[in-house]
Amino acid sequence: MTSTTTDITTKAATGDGIALPEKAARALATGGGALTVISCFLAWTWTAAYPGNLTVYGYPGGLQWLVLVSGALTTLFGLSSYGIKGLKWLTPGGADAAVKFAALATLWTTLFTAWSISDTLGGLVNLEPGGFVAVAAALATYLGARALPFERPVLDPADPEDSTWEQYKHNARNRREIVKAAYAAKAPAPAKPLPAWAEILVIAAVLGVALGVFTYGITTPYQELFIGFLITAGFGFAALHKAGLIARFTTLTARHRNVALVGAFVAAAAFPLTQTDDQYATLGVNILIFATVALGLNIVVGLTGLLDLGYVAFLGVGAYTAALVSGSPNSPFGVHLPFWAAILLGALASMVFGVLIGAPTLRLRGDYLAIVTLGFGEIFRISMNNMDGKSGPDITNGPNGIAGVPNVNLFGFDFGAAHTIAGFTIGRFANYFLLMLAITFIVVMVFRRSAESRIGRAWVAIREDETAAEAMGINGFRVKLIAFALGATLAGLAGAVQAHVNYTVTPDQYVFANAVPPNSAFLLAAVVLGGMGTISGPLVGGALLFLIPNKLQGMGDLQLFAFGVALIVLMRLRPEGIIPNRRNQLELHKDLEAPTVLSKAGA
């Protein structure tokens, strides 16, 4: 058998199939990015009929801002690749891969803008010279980035006299060498230690930028701008990851976990202060509700490995319980408990249902458990529909639901009224956003403490191998029942707030799947998409999966199709999720060396 490799550091003469001298390719990518930035200060169309007013010379508008950001990012990474002293810190993990993804952001955002202008106004004739300059510059940037050299291991061919199985093993070893070489090339260089106060300032600055990006995305006023934002943000995040900046920031947050956690919630609390329109504050509070419920489901799915397809029913149990005891005129009980009592009852009712459903079903595994939980979700919805006084007892007012849920009044503070604090006027939905943020903080702390506790380690053991865990003395049924009950309790907390935010609780809000979240399918997708077993993963995944359908309602029937295609692509390219658990990442990428990845594990 021949050796696997001879030299895994031989530099290829060309880039990804494009033959250009390295200096020319680097100059083309960097100069093209700069030219793209300049083109954003030119008019791209002649009429203001296209949203964003791209007719102004000397000032970007609408989608031009996104092209400008991606072009500037490409230029900065390109300059960093020259080894300029003041910019080398931008690419601790290597500049070339970062330039390629930033160039993709520039190209696709520019092409989408040009296509959108042509489609909306009726042809390419509606593009001004500035638009053509932008397209040409973006193409030049992409070609230059594609031509950048890359490290490729040189592998010996298999011996033709080997058997088919031996050739297969030889090819598998070659693939592992390629992946290991690529992974080593991406590994961030060790960062110079900074004083603790400087690291905290860096964390604060990054969180401030994250707040700005989130605010921009949630306040995009038209569909074309939001699609452009998704393209720029997606490829831009990939470019930052390839540059090694995400790994650097992760290292800092791991070093200052409590500071990062508090800083993240402070940044989130600043969001309502940036809003003057309740439309976006409403969207913000509903995103928080959905993301918090997804984090509760992460205990069941991500930590314990139980496939729950009816989890949204626990959200409904909490919402219905709170609505029935909060003084709604449609409630047959005629009681009006304070909010703190209503939210505790909602959480308690969800926990009881979690135990009642989990006790007889958690001895099942895999597909059988999934089918039972799916059935529970449908039974809950149908039961709420039938409790209308005709098909069953008069409790939930049937399909009309429980309307007129009053606003929360907590210790004399009316969440339904606007308040002026330190010069900022905070409206109704901003009040609920801050209330839900406090609930989210509680859920995050419960998840974090549980995951790091003895019971959390037992959940992970059950997830990895239930038979082996039970052989080591873990009571599998009890441990799974605790996870099921805790996840249901957290969903009940969010449901109690949801009932007051929406004024009305109806059965059609709690289905398995439809085009608008929350529903069980979207909740499960949020956990898988964001990253199972992590804290920030389901929060990010939940925010995206609630925001995208609400922003793309104009696509009609194509909305779910586009969403499904995007999920397939993401799961193919990054099956471990946007913010992966390191151990899950290792399991899904078998070719990575275990010591390299596990040394960074701990999420």
Side-chain angles (χ1 to χ4, degrees):
M1 179 67 65
T2 57
S3 62
T4 305
T5 63
T6 56
D7 180 12
I8 63 170
T9 60
T10 301
K11 179 170 286 190
T14 62
D16 299 342
I18 300 176
L20 278 178
E22 180 180 346
K23 290 184 178 180
R26 206 172 299 282
L28 184 61
T30 307
L35 183 58
T36 307
V37 171
I38 294 173
S39 71
C40 295
F41 293 88
L42 305 175
W44 286 16
T45 185
W46 61 274
T47 173
Y50 186 79
N53 192 10
L54 310 186
T55 65
V56 180
Y57 283 88
Y59 187 81
L63 282 159
Q64 286 176 321
W65 280 108
L66 299 175
V67 176
L68 187 151
V69 169
S70 56
L73 198 62
T74 308
T75 305
L76 288 174
F77 285 148
L79 292 174
S80 176
S81 69
Y82 282 100
I84 297 175
K85 188 174 182 180
L87 295 175
K88 288 177 67 176
W89 62 271
L90 280 173
T91 53
D96 290 353
V99 171
K100 291 178 183 179
F101 275 94
L104 281 172
T106 305
L107 176 67
W108 286 111
T109 309
T110 305
L111 290 181
F112 169 75
T113 305
W115 171 83
S116 181
I117 292 172
S118 174
D119 181 67
T120 302
L121 301 180
L124 288 174
V125 69
N126 294 283
L127 282 176
E128 286 288 287
F132 290 104
V133 171
V135 171
L139 284 171
T141 304
Y142 175 68
L143 292 176
R146 283 290 301 272
L148 289 175
F150 57 93
E151 302 292 333
R152 183 191 295 273
V154 178
L155 306 170
D156 290 334
D159 189 341
E161 296 182 359
D162 287 342
S163 65
T164 303
W165 174 245
E166 289 175 332
Q167 290 186 16
Y168 172 80
K169 292 193 293 182
H170 179 85
N171 293 333
R173 281 196 297 270
N174 281 352
R175 287 194 296 270
R176 285 196 295 270
E177 292 296 335
I178 293 174
V179 172
K180 285 192 288 186
Y183 187 77
K186 297 174 188 176
K192 293 182 179 179
L194 295 173
W197 62 267
E199 293 181 342
I200 292 173
L201 285 179
V202 170
I203 292 173
V206 173
L207 291 175
V209 172
L211 172 64
V213 172
F214 175 76
T215 302
Y216 184 88
I218 205 173
T219 56
T220 47
Y222 50 94
Q223 183 172 283
E224 294 84 356
L225 185 60
F226 181 73
I227 295 175
F229 167 77
L230 288 180
I231 296 171
T232 304
F235 283 112
F237 180 83
L240 295 175
H241 173 68
K242 295 295 184 181
L245 292 176
I246 301 297
R248 282 279 175 88
F249 180 69
T250 302
T251 302
L252 292 182
T253 55
R255 199 175 297 159
H256 306 280
R257 293 181 63 189
N258 293 330
V259 172
L261 180 62
V262 173
F265 278 95
V266 170
F271 168 74
L273 306 180
T274 66
Q275 304 303 308
T276 56
D277 189 345
D278 259 2
Q279 172 189 355
Y280 301 122
T282 306
L283 192 54
V285 69
N286 282 293
I287 286 174
L288 268 184
I289 292 172
F290 184 73
T292 302
V293 177
L295 186 58
L297 178 61
N298 197 27
I299 293 177
V300 180
V301 176
L303 292 182
T304 319
L306 304 175
L307 185 56
D308 187 349
L309 299 182
Y311 187 76
V312 75
F314 296 121
L315 177 71
V317 170
Y320 266 99
T321 302
L324 287 170
V325 300
S326 293
S328 168
N330 297 115
S331 171
F333 301 133
V335 296
H336 189 176
L337 299 180
F339 174 71
W340 63 265
I343 194 172
L344 289 179
L345 277 177
L348 180 62
S350 294
M351 182 186 70
V352 170
F353 270 88
V355 173
L356 291 177
I357 299 302
T361 61
L362 287 178
R363 300 187 188 278
L364 301 174
R365 298 186 186 183
D367 298 339
Y368 300 102
L369 177 62
I371 292 171
V372 170
T373 55
L374 176 61
F376 164 65
E378 289 302 296
I379 289 171
F380 170 79
R381 181 181 61 83
I382 294 171
S383 299
M384 296 303 102
N385 258 320
N386 290 341
M387 292 183 183
D388 57 355
K390 299 176 182 178
S391 302
D394 186 10
I395 297 178
T396 65
N397 203 25
N400 294 323
I402 301 174
V405 180
N407 284 303
V408 173
N409 192 308
L410 191 60
F411 305 117
F413 186 89
D414 185 1
F415 282 77
H419 301 273
T420 301
I421 301 175
F424 294 96
T425 300
I426 304 177
R428 176 182 185 270
F429 288 103
N431 293 331
Y432 279 109
F433 181 90
L434 296 175
L435 174 63
M436 193 60 221
L437 190 63
I439 302 295
T440 304
F441 181 79
I442 294 172
V443 173
V444 166
M445 293 307 298
V446 169
F447 182 93
R448 176 177 166 183
R449 300 299 296 175
S450 299
E452 295 174 353
S453 68
R454 181 178 178 182
I455 190 69
R457 293 191 293 272
W459 288 337
V460 173
I462 290 291
R463 181 191 70 193
E464 298 300 323
D465 192 326
E466 184 173 349
T467 303
E470 291 179 344
M472 296 300 293
I474 295 175
N475 187 328
F477 173 74
R478 182 174 64 86
V479 167
K480 290 191 292 184
L481 187 60
I482 292 173
F484 213 72
L486 181 58
T489 302
L490 299 181
L493 286 174
V497 178
Q498 184 195 43
H500 291 84
V501 169
N502 296 336
Y503 289 124
T504 303
V505 182
T506 56
D508 57 5
Q509 295 174 345
Y510 310 104
V511 299
F512 171 71
N514 58 17
V516 180
N519 55 66
S520 291
F522 272 72
L523 284 170
L524 184 61
V527 174
V528 177
L529 173 69
M532 293 192 295
T534 64
I535 293 177
S536 51
L539 295 178
V540 173
L544 286 175
L545 290 189
F546 192 93
L547 186 61
I548 291 174
N550 277 275
K551 286 290 186 178
L552 300 184
Q553 291 182 4
M555 294 181 66
D557 294 337
L558 291 176
Q559 177 185 337
L560 281 178
F561 173 76
F563 176 69
V565 171
L567 279 183
I568 292 171
V569 171
L570 184 62
M571 288 296 100
R572 176 65 182 85
L573 299 178
R574 197 172 176 83
E576 67 271 26
I578 298 174
I579 304 177
N581 177 286
R582 291 293 185 180
R583 197 172 299 274
N584 292 344
Q585 190 176 35
L586 175 62
E587 292 173 357
L588 293 168
H589 295 277
K590 302 291 187 181
D591 293 325
L592 298 181
E593 286 189 354
T596 303
V597 180
L598 288 180
S599 63
K600 300 177 182 178

